[in-house]
């Protein structure tokens, strides 16, 4: 093997022959690789040794600096901006001042992140001088990556160098010439240790051998790093540089810790029409939508625009206000907006319960635009969906939290800024715990207080004014009680999976345990309907976002088997209303850069539509009396499934079921019970399963007596009075 950095000597024929053989061997290797990937794989083979080489203390620190007399491989970026990259207001907020009081940059950067956080940058593109262990390797040095509660050798929360000295580095291979403009760093995500880098140098290269440090008039620029482990810090390069590789060289670190960091690189990839590898991985969309991040005012304006474009099928309304008084706006899409139509199911998407998980918010705004446009264009699939479904889209449940994240920007908000409401409440886990009430009743068979298996009432303590309940949560509950939702999805971020209830474990001694609902088979179907049509969720080749790999369940997970949560919106919805609710985690990056929105839309568009269509799977019908009047609050039960639902105010109902044959029963106060067999097919569209039931004899007697102003006799009361008279006579 040819030693790196050595030249072949012509004085020895043997050496010359070995050098020639080595070059020929590399040529054969490159020909064995598909033409499309030669550039990448050849670079990996020829330069693999440098990824693990580093100078030891005492060696001259020359690999990072340009040697005198050598021509630097890096050129300053052109002043003209490449078409297609536009500055986004407030997308990235640079750090204004360092501890020395010097301004880093006064204007926001114009290049987006390369994609370490979104996983667009693969593990093969990240390399480091050393690593403490595999779980702290370069592949973990991604902005906002999260470690598990039990840190282990596979999934830790940063890249950590194997030694603490100024010769360590982490490197990103952009795989093409890129205009590098900035670096964002964090410390290590850990519950048990504190590690971060306080200063560093930045170096760039075209061949990963000759490196040029970022310099200013006084020499190499030493960038200020982090002062704690979670808040991201942005540093802009004094002058954007064009290169293929960029390397971060820590110079100092937290005194009581070690060299650990997570990072994101800002850069604009330059056009490379000859590189098929990049062209085949580029994502484009043909939908003419408003791909940007919308603040509260812009979101409201966009809703008005959609309503103006499609006034006959849309309506804007609000379900309440946030802690800071911002209205929680929703858009209804229906062929008859403003009222419930008998026999038409109601569906909802909500997002933004965690204010910093903004991708769901933007997906809902894109969805309402898309449905309006496609309806006007006569898309039969969308027209059919709108005419047969009443759809509600609530994009921002926690606008106060979103405002905090928006002000920080997509990369600088960190993992938690804006997650909670203004008064510090996590909306997603702020609903009443009805699971415990149900399970205690089931465990105590002789309990005096029998809890039903559905429509469990909210406890009195939760309804009191002193309860720790967010105003946003109360607004959602009132909304869910008012509208007879059948199916719903709450869009969240930070992962790529669909979670279905129960979200709370039944055992008091476990934090993770598969806890199915009586409708587990239906929930798994619903979850898979979204995951299987998403572009990435069921892709076995994709990298896990953080510490969990959900491929064994095809991109779905039972909430309680992931992590237990008491008072989740999913469990509450299932136990208190007729609605089947699921949590849909739409992306690894909670707050993706604006430039990522078209690709994220393409990833989720089909899934968003397919999941809405599932509201028409199962059985539906009307429960009415012999006069044809709908009976409200009638109980619909399915044999073998210990969870009932109830009819709406007009006597109509919808019961989500998988394909199969079911014995369905109905009962209502004052009416005779009835059963029938209903079959659910594989084709989309719920099976009609109507019931006509008559009043019981006692109910008819009561009705007649009330009509004539008399009260019916009660046999039990009459016998009680007779016994009382006999007892008095004996005395």
């Amino acid at each position: 093997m040819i030693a790196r950095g050595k030249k072949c000597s012509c004085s020895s024929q043997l050496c010359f022959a070995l050098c020639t053989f080595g070059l020929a061997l590399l040529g054969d290797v490159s020909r064995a690789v598909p033409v499309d990937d030669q550039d990448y794989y050849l670079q990996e083979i020829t330069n693999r040794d440098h990824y693990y080489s580093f100078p030891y203390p005492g060696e001259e620190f020359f690999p990072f600096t340009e040697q005198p007399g050598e021509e630097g491989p890096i050129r300053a970026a052109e002043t003209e901006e490449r078409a297609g990259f536009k500055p986004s207001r407030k997308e990235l907020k640079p750090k204004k001042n360092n501890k020395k009081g010097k301004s880093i940059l006064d204007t926001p950067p114009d290049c987006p992140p390369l994609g370490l956080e979104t996983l667009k940058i693969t593990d093969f593109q990240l390399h480091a001088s050393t690593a403490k262990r595999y779980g702290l390797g370069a592949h973990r040095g991604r902005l906002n990556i999260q470690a598990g509660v039990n840190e282990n050798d596979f999934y830790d929360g940063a890249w950590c160098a194997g030694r603490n000295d100024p010769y360590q580095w982490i490197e990103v291979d952009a795989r093409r010439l890129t205009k590098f403009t900035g670096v964002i760093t964090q410390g290590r995500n850990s519950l048990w240790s504190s590690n971060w880098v306080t200063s560093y140098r930045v170096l760039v290269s075209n061949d990963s051998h000759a490196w040029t440090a970022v310099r200013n008039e006084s020499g190499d620029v030493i960038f200020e790093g982090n002062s704690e482990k979670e808040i991201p810090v942005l540093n802009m390069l004094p002058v954007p540089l064009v290169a293929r590789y960029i390397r971060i060289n820590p110079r100092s670190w937290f005194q009581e810790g070690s060299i650990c960091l997570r990072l994101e690189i800002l850069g604009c990839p330059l056009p490379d029409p000859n590189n098929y590898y990049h062209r085949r991985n580029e994502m484009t969309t043909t939908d003419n939508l408003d791909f940007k991040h919308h603040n509260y005012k812009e979101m409201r304006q966009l809703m008005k625009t959609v309503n103006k474009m499609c006034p006959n099928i849309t309506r804007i309304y609000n379900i309440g206000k946030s802690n800071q008084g911002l209205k929680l706006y929703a858009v209804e899409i229906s062929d008859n907006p403003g009222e419930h139509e008998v026999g038409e199911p109601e569906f909802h998407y909500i997002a933004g319960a965690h204010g910093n998980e903004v991708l769901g918010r933007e997906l809902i705004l894109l969805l309402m635009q898309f449905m309006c446009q496609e309806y006007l264009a006569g898309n039969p699939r969308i027209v059919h969906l709108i005419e047969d479904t009443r759809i509600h889209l609530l994009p921002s449940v926690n606008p106060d939290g979103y405002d905090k994240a928006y002000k920080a920007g997509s990369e600088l908000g960190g993992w938690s800024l804006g997650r909670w409401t203004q008064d510090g409440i996590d909306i997603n886990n702020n609903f009443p715990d009805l699971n415990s009430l149900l399970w205690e009743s089931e465990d105590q068979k002789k309990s005096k207080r029998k809890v039903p298996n559905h429509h469990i009432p909210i406890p009195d303590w939760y309804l009191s004014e002193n309860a720790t309940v967010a105003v946003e949560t109360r607004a959602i509950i009132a909304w869910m009680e008012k509208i007879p939702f059948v199916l719903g999805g709450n869009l969240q971020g930070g992962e790529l999976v669909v979670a279905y209830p129960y979200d709370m474990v039944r055992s008091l001694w476990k934090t993770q345990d598969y806890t199915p609902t009586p409708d587990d088979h239906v929930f798994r179907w619903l979850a898979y309907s979204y995951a299987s049509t998403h572009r990435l969720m069921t892709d076995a080749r994709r990298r896990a976002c953080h510490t969990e790999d959900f491929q064994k369940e095809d991109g779905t997970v039972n909430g309680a088997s992931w992590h237990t949560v008491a008072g989740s919106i999913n469990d509450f919805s299932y136990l208190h209303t007729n609605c089947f609710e699921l949590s849909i985690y739409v992306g690894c990056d909670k707050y993706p850069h604006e430039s990522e929105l078209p690709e994220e839309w393409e990833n989720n568009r089909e899934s968003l539509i397919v999941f809405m269509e599932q509201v028409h799977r199962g059985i539906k019908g009307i429960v009415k009396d012999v006069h044809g009047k709908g009976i409200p609050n009638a109980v619909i039960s399915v044999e073998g499934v210990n969870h009932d639902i109830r009819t709406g105010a007009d006597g109509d109902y919808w019961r989500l079921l998988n394909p199969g044959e079911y014995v369905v029963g109905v009962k209502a106060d004052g009416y005779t019970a009835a059963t029938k067999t209903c079959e659910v097919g594989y084709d989309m569209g719920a099976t009609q399963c109507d019931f006509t039931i008559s009043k019981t004899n006692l109910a008819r007697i009561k009705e007649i007596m009330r009509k004539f102003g008399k009260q019916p006799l009660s046999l039990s009361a009459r016998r009680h009075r007779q016994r009382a008279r006999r007892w008095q006579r004996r005395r």
Side-chain angles (χ1 to χ4, degrees):
M1 184 174 181
I2 304 170
R4 188 170 71 87
K6 303 286 185 180
K7 293 184 179 180
C8 294
S9 173
C10 295
S11 62
S12 171
Q13 294 182 354
L14 178 60
C15 182
F16 177 78
L18 289 174
C19 288
T20 305
F21 175 75
L23 293 173
L25 180 61
L26 288 178
D28 292 339
V29 171
S30 67
R31 284 193 295 271
V33 178
V35 175
D36 302 334
D37 298 328
Q38 276 190 21
D39 177 66
Y40 166 59
Y41 285 103
L42 185 59
Q43 190 275 334
E44 288 290 308
I45 294 170
T46 57
N47 297 320
R48 175 63 65 181
D49 57 334
H50 88 277
Y51 294 142
Y52 305 101
S53 62
F54 49 86
Y56 287 88
E59 291 186 18
E60 191 174 358
F61 196 57
F62 65 87
F64 297 108
T65 59
E66 186 178 335
Q67 299 305 305
E70 292 184 354
E71 183 178 353
I74 313 303
R75 67 180 186 273
E78 295 83 2
T79 56
E80 295 183 2
E81 300 299 332
R82 183 170 76 86
F85 288 95
K86 298 180 181 179
S88 55
R89 300 165 309 202
K90 295 186 179 180
E91 262 304 279
L92 294 172
K93 184 179 178 182
K95 186 175 180 180
K96 294 182 179 179
N97 296 289
N98 55 24
K99 293 181 179 179
K100 298 178 181 179
K102 296 181 180 179
S103 174
I104 300 297
L105 193 73
D106 294 328
T107 58
D110 59 350
C111 283
L114 291 187
L116 277 78
E117 184 175 5
T118 61
L119 307 182
K120 185 173 288 186
I121 295 294
T122 68
D123 289 350
F124 293 107
Q125 293 173 259
L126 300 173
H127 305 280
S129 53
T130 60
K132 187 169 292 186
R133 61 174 183 268
Y134 176 78
L136 293 169
H139 64 293
R140 302 297 294 177
R142 300 172 180 274
L143 192 72
N144 285 321
I145 203 165
Q146 301 294 295
V149 175
N150 301 315
E151 299 171 11
N152 55 53
D153 190 42
F154 294 99
Y155 300 115
D156 278 317
W159 162 67
C160 290
R163 297 196 309 272
N164 291 329
D165 59 48
Y167 308 104
Q168 306 303 311
W169 47 262
I170 182 171
E171 172 188 315
V172 180
D173 176 7
R175 288 184 176 168
R176 64 196 293 181
L177 287 179
T178 302
K179 183 180 73 172
F180 296 117
T181 59
V183 177
I184 304 171
T185 59
Q186 279 175 313
R188 177 182 175 183
N189 175 252
S190 173
L191 294 174
W192 321 109
S193 59
S194 297
N195 304 287
W196 59 83
V197 170
T198 56
S199 69
Y200 59 88
R201 294 197 307 163
V202 176
L203 305 100
V204 289
S205 172
N206 276 339
D207 59 4
S208 77
H209 290 286
W211 291 88
T212 299
V214 174
R215 301 172 63 88
N216 57 21
E217 296 177 356
S218 59
D220 292 356
V221 177
I222 304 298
F223 295 95
E224 182 182 356
N226 300 85
S227 57
E228 60 90 64
K229 58 188 176 184
E230 288 298 336
I231 299 177
V233 173
L234 166 66
N235 281 296
M236 302 301 297
L237 304 187
V239 177
L241 296 176
V242 172
R244 172 173 169 173
Y245 303 87
I246 186 168
R247 181 179 282 185
I248 309 303
N249 164 225
R251 305 300 293 172
S252 62
W253 45 92
F254 179 52
Q255 187 175 5
E256 298 177 10
S258 58
I259 297 177
C260 294
L261 62 79
R262 295 172 284 170
L263 78 158
E264 181 63 85
I265 305 297
L266 306 183
C268 296
L270 300 184
D272 187 6
N274 296 321
N275 195 327
Y276 175 71
Y277 176 84
H278 297 292
R279 285 188 283 115
R280 72 180 180 181
N281 286 282
E282 289 177 352
M283 172 58 64
T284 58
T285 182
T286 58
D287 295 330
N288 183 25
L289 306 174
D290 189 18
F291 294 105
K292 60 168 288 185
H293 287 297
H294 299 80
N295 61 26
Y296 183 81
K297 182 178 179 181
E298 292 166 340
M299 179 189 72
R300 179 75 174 95
Q301 184 58 46
L302 179 61
M303 290 179 171
K304 289 182 178 180
T305 300
V306 172
N307 179 244
K308 186 176 180 180
M309 288 178 59
C310 298
N312 295 329
I313 62 166
T314 62
R315 177 178 71 100
I316 303 173
Y317 66 99
N318 75 82
I319 69 167
K321 292 184 178 181
S322 71
N323 181 276
Q324 296 297 295
L326 298 178
K327 293 182 179 180
L328 308 180
Y329 285 111
V331 168
E332 176 192 339
I333 303 178
S334 170
D335 62 340
N336 190 18
E339 61 180 84
H340 171 74
E341 296 182 66
V342 177
E344 186 171 286
E346 310 243 5
F347 175 93
H348 73 251
Y349 274 130
I350 66 176
H354 298 148
N356 64 331
E357 296 172 9
V358 306
L359 178 55
R361 170 192 178 110
E362 294 306 326
L363 288 175
I364 289 181
L365 294 177
L366 291 168
L367 180 63
M368 64 178 67
Q369 298 173 63
F370 176 79
M371 296 193 71
C372 173
Q373 291 181 5
E374 293 300 300
Y375 182 85
L376 294 177
N379 182 330
R381 183 185 186 189
I382 301 302
V383 170
H384 182 268
L385 186 60
I386 291 175
E387 289 180 347
D388 293 347
T389 320
R390 191 180 181 206
I391 302 165
H392 303 259
L393 305 178
L394 179 62
S396 187
V397 175
N398 181 10
D400 300 343
Y402 173 82
D403 188 56
K404 293 180 182 179
Y406 181 79
K407 288 178 179 177
S410 65
E411 310 305 316
L412 301 184
W415 191 252
S416 60
L417 180 65
R419 175 184 177 91
W420 300 281
T421 62
Q422 185 66 26
D423 47 352
I425 296 175
D426 186 338
I427 295 176
N428 196 53
N429 309 330
N430 191 221
F431 293 82
D433 172 17
L434 304 182
N435 304 59
S436 298
L437 296 176
L438 173 64
W439 294 336
E440 287 174 6
S441 175
E442 291 178 348
D443 293 339
Q444 300 174 3
K445 296 181 180 179
K446 296 182 180 181
S447 174
K448 295 181 180 179
R449 184 182 178 185
K450 183 67 176 176
V451 175
N453 66 9
H454 70 294
H455 281 237
I456 300 174
I458 298 175
D460 293 338
W461 66 263
Y462 186 90
L463 299 174
S464 68
E465 294 183 0
N466 296 328
T468 307
V469 182
V471 293
E472 296 89 346
T473 308
R474 294 192 188 279
I476 296 171
I477 291 175
W479 183 54
M480 295 173 71
E481 290 179 332
K482 179 180 179 181
I483 300 176
F485 291 119
V486 179
L487 178 62
N490 57 89
L491 305 188
Q492 301 189 46
E495 265 298 349
L496 204 55
V497 67
V498 182
Y500 54 91
Y502 288 124
D503 289 330
M504 180 179 175
V505 297
R506 186 158 185 162
S507 172
L508 296 176
W509 314 109
K510 295 182 180 180
T511 58
Q512 292 177 307
D513 190 33
Y514 196 100
T515 310
T517 67
D519 285 288
D520 188 60
H521 58 298
V522 178
F523 275 113
R524 293 176 67 178
W525 174 289
L526 294 171
Y528 186 69
S529 72
Y530 194 100
S532 62
T533 49
H534 190 279
R535 289 186 63 253
L536 298 176
M537 279 190 188
T538 54
D539 186 352
R541 299 168 298 175
R542 77 171 181 88
R543 183 193 188 281
C545 291
H546 301 282
T547 63
E548 301 283 348
D549 186 358
F550 300 105
Q551 289 305 311
K552 60 183 178 181
E553 294 293 338
D554 293 318
T556 68
V557 67
N558 173 259
S561 69
W562 184 10
H563 49 73
T564 185
V565 170
S568 76
I569 185 174
N570 293 344
D571 291 1
F572 170 79
S573 181
Y574 181 68
L575 295 176
H576 184 67
T577 75
N578 287 340
C579 184
F580 285 38
E581 183 95 12
L582 291 85
S583 293
I584 303 169
Y585 293 80
V586 291
C588 301
D589 188 351
K590 289 184 176 184
Y591 196 157
H593 188 268
E594 196 166 90
S595 62
E596 298 290 334
L597 293 179
E599 181 171 353
E600 293 294 355
W601 167 246
E602 288 295 324
N603 289 342
N604 289 276
R605 178 183 58 190
E606 179 66 15
S607 300
L608 290 166
I609 297 171
V610 167
F611 188 72
M612 284 192 289
E613 291 173 334
Q614 302 310 305
V615 76
H616 295 283
R617 186 172 297 281
I619 61 174
K620 66 178 182 179
I622 301 176
V623 179
K624 52 190 177 182
D625 61 20
V626 293
H627 303 292
K629 184 179 179 181
I631 301 173
N633 213 34
V635 177
I636 306 295
S637 60
V638 177
E639 187 176 282
V641 182
N642 187 29
H643 181 79
D644 304 332
I645 64 167
R646 300 200 178 202
T647 58
D650 300 304
D652 50 352
Y653 77 91
W654 304 263
R655 199 356 170 144
L656 297 178
L657 292 168
N658 286 349
E661 189 174 86
Y662 300 92
V663 176
V664 182
V666 60
K667 59 183 179 181
D669 289 341
Y671 292 86
T672 57
T675 61
K676 65 168 55 177
T677 300
C678 303
E679 185 175 353
V680 178
Y682 285 89
D683 295 334
M684 187 61 67
T687 300
Q688 194 74 28
C689 193
D690 297 328
F691 289 89
T692 299
I693 54 179
S694 58
K695 292 184 177 181
T696 62
N697 291 334
L698 179 59
R700 285 199 296 270
I701 292 172
K702 289 182 178 180
E703 184 178 0
I704 294 171
M705 297 295 286
R706 282 195 299 269
K707 184 177 180 179
F708 293 98
K710 297 181 180 180
Q711 294 296 325
L713 295 176
S714 172
L715 289 176
S716 59
R718 183 176 180 181
R719 289 171 181 168
H720 180 73
R721 287 195 296 270
Q722 289 176 345
R723 291 195 189 100
R725 293 193 192 100
R726 291 172 186 168
W727 183 77
Q728 289 177 352
R729 291 170 185 168
R730 290 173 183 173
R731 292 182 62 187

